[in-house]
Amino acid sequence: MHRCKRLIARKSYVRSSRRFRRWQYAPGETIEQVAARAAQVVQEVLPVIMDGQDVLLVAHAHILRVLTTQWLGIDPHMAKMLRLDTAHYSSLGMYKGDRVIEHWNL
């Protein structure tokens, strides 16, 4: 089972020939749990979109990539293949009744 990682603001020292610092990670949500949250958002905004209105969602890239997989109805593990850079935006929409990516990483 894959787990997302959450950075903890605590550093620890690793014993080796040279001491160095590394970040400690604590387990976070599974990808399935993240996808369930994202799917819930999609279901909440879908009626608004189907009514012809626009919806703006602002979040970190990782959750937006997972949200995109839920919009498209594909496996959330595919999110890792959707590059989304800092300070870029994307547009999801409908085309002939299908959920599509209109613009990505602009």
Side-chain angles (χ1 to χ4, degrees):
M1 179 177 345
H2 297 283
R3 290 197 172 269
C4 297
K5 305 260 183 194
R6 182 182 56 189
L7 190 61
I8 296 179
R10 179 185 69 205
K11 295 178 183 176
S12 68
Y13 290 92
V14 177
R15 295 176 189 248
S16 67
S17 58
R18 287 200 257 165
R19 296 183 84 156
F20 62 95
R21 291 183 207 183
R22 72 173 183 168
W23 291 103
Q24 289 280 327
Y25 293 94
E29 298 173 284
T30 65
I31 187 71
E32 291 78 14
Q33 291 168 325
V34 174
R37 284 194 302 118
Q40 187 176 26
V41 172
V42 168
Q43 292 308 312
E44 288 177 22
V45 301
L46 191 56
V48 177
I49 293 169
M50 296 305 289
D51 195 35
Q53 298 179 48
D54 293 331
V55 175
L56 174 67
L57 300 173
V58 179
H60 290 280
H62 300 305
I63 186 66
L64 291 174
R65 292 175 7 210
V66 174
L67 184 131
T68 300
T69 66
Q70 298 310 287
W71 176 258
L72 297 173
I74 61 176
D75 185 331
H77 291 94
M78 298 297 289
K80 67 184 177 185
M81 297 181 180
L82 298 171
R83 177 180 171 171
L84 186 54
D85 294 327
T86 302
H88 286 66
Y89 71 93
S90 300
S91 176
L92 306 177
M94 302 290 290
Y95 179 73
K96 296 185 178 181
D98 293 319
R99 298 178 192 181
V100 299
I101 297 173
E102 292 182 346
H103 305 285
W104 191 258
N105 205 31
L106 300 176

